[in-house]
């Protein structure tokens, strides 16, 4: 269940970051409210994940997948472009998350 909570936390953080971009420096009400609610949700669900997943592992997964997902949101919704070094770096991040989850003795399965 902890990984489910972590997944909700990551998705909430991606929603919050997207809303932050749309808030136009907090001048638009609805994106600002969505951002506040989504960051609150992200941190709440992260605390639930931390009940059983070690802090370092939780944060590595949170930050790594968050970077990749928010970059994909940027490409799909904001028409941002990723060059090959960015794509390579994100591939390495995904590989790192996989190594942690598949081989680390710290990870709770």
């Amino acid at each position: 269940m902890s990984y489910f909570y972590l997944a909700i936390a990551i998705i909430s953080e991606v929603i919050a970051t997207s809303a932050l971009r749309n808030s136009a420096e907090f001048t638009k009400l609805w994106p600002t409210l969505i951002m506040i609610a989504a960051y609150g949700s992200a941190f709440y669900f992260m605390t639930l994940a931390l009940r059983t997943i070690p802090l370092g592992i939780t944060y590595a997964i949170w930050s790594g997948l968050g970077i990749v997902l928010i970059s994909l949101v940027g490409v799909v919704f904001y028409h941002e472009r990723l060059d090959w070094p960015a794509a390579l770096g994100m591939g390495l991040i995904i590989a790192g998350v996989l190594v942690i989850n598949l081989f680390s003795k710290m990870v709770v399965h």
Side-chain angles (χ1 to χ4, degrees):
M1 198 67 182
S2 294
Y3 283 95
F4 176 71
Y5 292 143
L6 183 55
I8 293 172
I10 293 166
I11 292 166
S12 295
E13 189 267 336
V14 169
I15 291 168
T17 302
S18 298
L20 178 63
R21 185 182 193 277
N22 290 330
S23 74
E25 299 173 359
F26 308 118
T27 60
K28 294 183 180 177
L29 179 63
W30 287 110
T32 300
L33 294 177
I34 291 168
M35 179 213 50
I36 292 167
Y39 276 132
S41 172
F43 287 115
Y44 173 73
F45 282 102
M46 187 178 189
T47 64
L48 297 179
L50 286 169
R51 289 179 178 171
T52 57
I53 305 171
L55 178 62
I57 301 301
T58 299
Y59 199 75
I61 295 168
W62 158 289
S63 59
L65 293 180
I67 289 167
V68 171
L69 290 176
I70 200 63
S71 295
L72 292 176
V73 166
V75 168
V76 173
F77 293 104
Y78 301 113
H79 309 291
E80 297 173 355
R81 298 175 58 94
L82 294 178
D83 57 11
W84 73 267
L88 175 64
M90 285 183 223
L92 292 171
I93 290 169
I94 292 170
V97 169
L98 288 172
V99 166
I100 289 168
N101 281 289
L102 295 174
F103 301 109
S104 175
K105 293 184 183 350
M106 290 181 66
V107 176
V108 177
H109 294 284

